Amino acid sequence: MDSVINRLRLVRNPARTKDIVVTRALGLILFCCLALIPAWTGAWAKTVTAKSPDKNITLTVSDRDGFLTYTVRFDDEVLVSPSRLGLLFKDHHGFDRDLKITQVKRTQADNTWEQPWGERQFVRDHHRELTLDVTSMAGPARMMRLRFRLFNDGIGFRYEVPDQDHFGAVDLIDERTQFVVPSAGTAWSIPTRGWNRYEYHYDTTPVGDLTSVHTPMTFRTPSGIHAAIHEAALVDYSAMSLKPVRPGVLKADLSPWSDGILVKTQTPFQTPWRTIQISRAATGLLNSDLILNLNEPNALGDVSWVETGKYAGIWWAMHVRDRSWGNDTIHGATTEETKRYMDFAAENDFIGVLVEGWNIGWDGDWFNNGDLFSFTKSYPDFDIETIADYGAQKNVRLIGHHETSGDVTNYENQLDDALTLYAENGVRAVKTGYVADGGGIERIDENGIRQYEWHDGQFMVDHHLKVVREAAKHKIAVNPHEPVKDTGLRRTYPNWVSREGARGSEYDAWAVPPNKPEHTAILPFTRMLSGPMDYTPGIFDLTPNERAPLRKDMLRNSVESRIQTTLAKQLALYVVIYSPIQMVADLPENYAKHADAFQFIKDVPADWSDSVAINGEVGDFVTFARKDRNSNHWYVGTLTDENARSISIPLDFLDSGKTYRAELYRDGPDAHWKTNPYAITIEDRMVTARDTLTLPLGASGGAAIRLVPVEAKPAVN
């Protein structure tokens, strides 16, 4: 009734009616304007593009609607669909929305740098760089910088937060980085946040079925593009895993501190590079130097004291239960046993002997009692000074070992004394260990309270770098097992020579199941993209748990634990799985039984002037050729999964016009990892760069080749 009365009043008052009509018209215009604001925002958004030097990769970055996104195309195909970027902090305004690109800078570089050791001596760094200043348009004034580098083999990008008002110490609680990739693709991955760190069999799944996974995570799109997501230069930050938000939408997932904070830092700071290696062929990933190129140059100066080569060790005997780590009647780390291994190393020109179990702390439940380890006190039957003197006479160094059982505070408290002891006894490399079979990595905080941290959280990232830097002061190289993953820091700290970070040969001694035949056909395309691995190859007794124990009271591991390769495949691993320090892992007496095959291990180097991935498919097979840094010899390794196959190896990497003697160690007739693993054919052939070798490989088989130039005979008058 009231509304009717009001309408009547309007009719009786024309002037009032006119005012209301105008007001309504203005309101309609205002409503339309407000409705168009999102469209305006999109219309005025800044979109920036950049291309790789060869123009095959196109990056697009946008601030549309106040959200930062990036897109990556390869060969005109979308590889990464629009993916969010941003950082969030606990007590500070972050960079998530209301963002605007305010400045764009472009640079480029093309230079070559030299590695003191590596897969190749000289590395080309050819990239275009796009740097974006990003400002928040709401809340306190603040800005960050996004830096992208585009290479022909992929892209890297990172966040940089400069010193500015409203910032100081910051607690990062979320990194919003996404990777939106085709969900129908195929992925190869291992799970993250597990008790066993990185030591899992790789899963082959659709991208859309991924759970939380470690990086490098490799995938192939339905059209056949290969790509791997990882990170470079992981310093003062937490390691990144990938967590699926929706099928194909992967988000950066950082390992948290025990209190839930992801990263504790202060401005100015920068994140590690987020990397995407890209190639049409799977081998393109293997030939990529992107991770190394995104790290800083050598920070140590002269590192000529870093020694590459092969080493033996008192190690495998404990895994197959011939010896023990603890100080009992079958203790492995004795003075006399170490001398025996040093004799073996000297006879075969190996650089050193690793000794595990020499120091106090191995007795009892050492898995859970890392605080009992002493890193300067040895068992009574191990005399480090006598051993060091004996090794010096043989030109063989003692290689040190520090197992922490994850008690990092105990180790850091003794670190300087431990490294000093090694330096005084001529040790030039130390293998560290972080088994941490309890609740995680242990530390004592500033209040004396025991805390447990993830093996790849910021605490351990900082710890590993501390050990590497301290070791460098003593001219000692570091080879951590149970490590944080590799991100190319060996370029900056060349004494960080290798690491584990995946299932190695030890799993063939006692794991059920042991490493699968496909395992070493997956590793080059996944774990090995990050850097060298101390896989510890060269096992010649392929059924170690089927022979009788040395003593009646000794226990053998399950017979299901065995080496699921042929003998020739063990030789191929020295070329395929790269490390500048390669272990000759089996017992000396087992090599004596196969002296002809052992010759390849004696010959193959561990440092290269060049490396080329010739062919391969993820999880199926792979072939590498590498050139010795100290001669004109080339070496080839090829291996297959559980399927026997014929491999063709073009030799066009050889010098044109030269003849080479190819010394072949290949699977023999009917070779099969399970039924006929020792079948091996050793032969010589004369070849040139115009030739192609076609080699039959048995199930989980392989072949290793040494190519030696043949000097031309002088002409006879």
Side-chain angles (χ1 to χ4, degrees):
M1 186 68 174
D2 290 341
S3 61
V4 173
I5 294 173
N6 288 335
R7 288 175 188 172
L8 291 173
R9 287 172 179 169
L10 290 176
V11 171
R12 292 172 184 169
N13 189 348
R16 176 63 174 162
T17 301
K18 181 178 180 181
D19 290 343
I20 290 176
V21 170
V22 172
T23 300
R24 287 179 174 174
L26 290 173
L28 180 61
I29 293 171
L30 179 60
F31 174 81
C32 292
C33 290
L34 290 172
L36 288 173
I37 283 179
W40 286 2
T41 303
W44 290 99
K46 186 179 289 292
T47 299
V48 184
T49 62
K51 289 183 177 291
S52 59
D54 63 4
K55 299 183 180 180
N56 289 332
I57 299 174
T58 302
L59 167 75
T60 303
V61 187
S62 172
D63 62 4
R64 183 181 180 88
D65 298 331
F67 296 102
L68 281 177
T69 61
Y70 75 100
T71 306
V72 179
R73 300 179 69 91
F74 179 70
D75 286 350
D76 292 326
E77 179 180 335
V78 175
L79 177 67
V80 181
S81 298
S83 301
R84 290 277 299 275
L85 298 164
L87 300 172
L88 293 179
F89 306 107
K90 178 183 177 184
D91 299 314
H92 299 77
H93 288 80
F95 300 95
D96 179 40
R97 59 182 66 226
D98 303 314
L99 302 176
K100 183 175 180 62
I101 299 171
T102 53
Q103 185 170 323
V104 178
K105 181 180 179 181
R106 301 175 188 270
T107 60
Q108 56 186 341
D110 189 359
N111 56 72
T112 299
W113 55 277
E114 184 176 4
Q115 294 193 87
W117 53 266
E119 302 94 325
R120 55 186 56 82
Q121 185 171 358
F122 296 100
V123 178
R124 185 184 183 189
D125 179 359
H126 187 199
H127 69 263
R128 293 178 176 175
E129 182 171 287
L130 174 68
T131 307
L132 306 175
D133 284 0
V134 177
T135 301
S136 177
M137 306 306 291
R142 59 199 185 281
M143 66 84 64
M144 71 172 179
R145 190 165 287 121
L146 277 172
R147 191 178 303 273
F148 294 86
R149 286 186 185 168
L150 289 84
F151 304 81
N152 293 339
D153 51 351
I155 73 166
F157 61 91
R158 72 181 181 194
Y159 304 88
E160 301 172 2
V161 180
D163 193 14
Q164 57 195 293
D165 291 340
H166 309 295
F167 279 98
V170 293
D171 290 339
L172 183 73
I173 58 172
D174 194 18
E175 182 180 324
R176 307 290 285 172
T177 307
Q178 290 182 347
F179 304 86
V180 181
V181 298
S183 61
T186 301
W188 293 268
S189 66
I190 52 175
T192 190
R193 307 288 158 73
W195 70 273
N196 213 20
R197 303 162 299 273
Y198 307 103
E199 297 173 19
Y200 294 92
H201 282 122
Y202 277 83
D203 293 320
T204 304
T205 64
V207 171
D209 291 347
L210 284 172
T211 57
S212 293
V213 297
H214 278 299
T215 68
M217 187 280 291
T218 300
F219 66 97
R220 182 181 61 224
T221 69
S223 68
I225 297 174
H226 293 78
I229 300 172
H230 189 42
E231 57 184 321
L234 174 58
V235 176
D236 194 26
Y237 209 78
S238 293
M240 178 185 72
S241 297
L242 299 174
K243 181 179 180 179
V245 178
R246 296 185 301 280
V249 181
L250 307 175
K251 180 184 173 300
D253 184 23
L254 307 184
S255 289
W257 284 80
S258 52
D259 62 4
I261 300 299
L262 302 183
V263 176
K264 303 178 182 185
T265 187
Q266 60 182 23
T267 57
F269 74 90
Q270 60 194 28
T271 71
W273 295 91
R274 279 61 189 98
T275 64
I276 309 172
Q277 291 164 278
I278 307 169
S279 174
R280 176 64 63 179
T283 49
L285 300 180
L286 308 183
N287 292 318
S288 170
D289 291 314
L290 183 146
I291 300 296
L292 278 176
N293 276 325
L294 288 170
N295 277 268
E296 296 300 313
N298 177 6
L300 300 181
D302 178 20
V303 289
S304 57
W305 45 268
V306 174
E307 298 175 345
T308 62
K310 299 181 292 290
Y311 69 98
I314 300 175
W315 176 79
W316 184 251
M318 280 85 93
H319 285 285
V320 296
R321 297 190 177 185
D322 282 350
R323 297 285 185 267
S324 68
W325 283 278
N327 186 27
D328 57 18
T329 57
I330 57 169
H331 186 212
T334 68
T335 300
E336 293 308 310
E337 186 73 346
T338 305
K339 286 182 177 180
R340 184 173 78 90
Y341 271 81
M342 284 183 162
D343 290 342
F344 168 71
E347 290 168 5
N348 297 290
D349 200 26
F350 301 155
I351 63 171
V353 172
L354 166 73
V355 181
E356 295 195 6
W358 67 273
N359 57 313
I360 299 296
W362 288 95
D363 296 322
D365 187 15
W366 59 269
F367 269 58
N368 296 296
N369 293 289
D371 57 340
L372 300 180
F373 276 116
S374 169
F375 301 101
T376 57
K377 296 178 181 179
S378 63
Y379 283 120
D381 55 359
F382 184 86
D383 188 326
I384 190 170
E385 289 82 7
T386 297
I387 288 168
D389 291 343
Y390 188 81
Q393 297 171 26
K394 298 279 185 176
N395 197 29
V396 174
R397 293 191 186 276
L398 173 66
I399 295 177
H401 183 245
H402 289 158
E403 175 56 60
T404 69
S405 289
D407 194 323
V408 168
T409 298
N410 180 52
Y411 184 39
E412 290 192 355
N413 288 341
Q414 301 181 61
L415 183 59
D416 184 64
D417 289 341
L419 294 172
T420 298
L421 174 67
Y422 275 158
E424 290 173 349
N425 286 279
V427 173
R428 285 287 175 265
V430 58
K431 172 183 173 181
T432 57
Y434 300 86
V435 172
D437 200 42
I441 296 294
E442 298 180 33
R443 71 177 176 93
I444 305 299
D445 68 14
E446 59 277 7
N447 298 314
I449 299 172
R450 188 175 298 277
Q451 305 287 355
Y452 293 90
E453 306 293 348
W454 289 106
H455 77 280
D456 59 351
Q458 186 181 12
F459 172 73
M460 285 304 290
V461 168
D462 292 347
H463 166 75
H464 281 289
L465 195 49
K466 176 180 180 178
V467 173
V468 167
R469 287 168 172 161
E470 291 301 311
K473 296 176 184 177
H474 296 270
K475 295 187 177 180
I476 293 175
V478 181
N479 169 27
H481 281 225
E482 300 82 39
V484 67
K485 62 185 175 183
D486 200 346
T487 59
L489 283 167
R490 58 188 166 116
R491 179 184 180 186
T492 312
Y493 302 96
N495 68 320
W496 207 337
V497 289
S498 194
R499 71 187 78 195
E500 191 185 38
R503 268 178 161 244
S505 286
E506 63 186 7
Y507 279 82
D508 294 327
W510 40 258
V512 180
N515 293 328
K516 300 177 182 178
E518 69 174 6
H519 184 59
T520 49
I522 294 177
L523 284 179
F525 301 94
T526 51
R527 159 65 182 85
M528 300 307 300
L529 297 180
S530 69
M533 180 184 175
D534 191 26
Y535 185 81
T536 60
I539 306 302
F540 273 28
D541 180 3
L542 301 174
T543 56
N545 297 310
E546 293 181 14
R547 59 182 172 85
L550 298 182
R551 285 189 347 211
K552 291 183 179 180
D553 60 338
M554 292 171 61
L555 298 175
R556 277 280 178 247
N557 299 306
S558 170
V559 294
E560 295 181 56
S561 301
R562 60 157 294 178
I563 291 77
Q564 297 189 1
T565 76
T566 64
L567 184 61
K569 186 172 181 178
Q570 286 294 315
L571 301 181
L573 291 173
Y574 282 89
V575 182
V576 172
I577 305 295
Y578 170 67
S579 177
I581 53 169
Q582 286 280 26
M583 191 174 194
V584 184
D586 209 338
L587 312 180
E589 50 268 32
N590 290 333
Y591 293 120
K593 298 174 185 176
H594 302 278
D596 50 353
F598 184 56
Q599 184 62 46
F600 181 82
I601 294 180
K602 293 168 64 175
D603 290 336
V604 66
D607 194 17
W608 310 101
S609 64
D610 198 11
S611 295
V612 182
I614 296 176
N615 51 39
E617 294 295 341
V618 188
D620 295 337
F621 69 98
V622 66
T623 307
F624 271 97
R626 304 191 195 271
K627 187 178 182 182
D628 179 20
R629 186 174 289 212
N630 298 307
S631 73
N632 290 319
H633 301 176
W634 281 85
Y635 293 78
V636 175
T638 185
L639 56 82
T640 182
D641 61 0
E642 69 277 7
N643 298 304
R645 69 183 75 234
S646 181
I647 298 290
S648 293
I649 306 174
L651 301 181
D652 51 5
F653 54 85
L654 297 175
D655 290 343
S656 178
K658 287 187 177 181
T659 299
Y660 291 78
R661 183 180 70 255
E663 301 168 358
L664 284 84
Y665 302 76
R666 60 180 178 84
D667 287 328
D670 302 320
H672 189 291
W673 73 266
K674 191 172 185 179
T675 60
N676 197 14
Y678 296 105
I680 188 168
T681 297
I682 301 174
E683 61 181 346
D684 289 355
R685 300 182 193 177
M686 294 299 173
V687 298
T688 70
R690 297 190 302 272
D691 292 323
T692 296
L693 291 175
T694 301
L695 305 178
L697 305 184
S700 196
I705 308 168
R706 182 190 188 208
L707 294 147
V708 180
V710 177
E711 297 297 331
K713 295 181 179 180
V716 178
N717 293 328

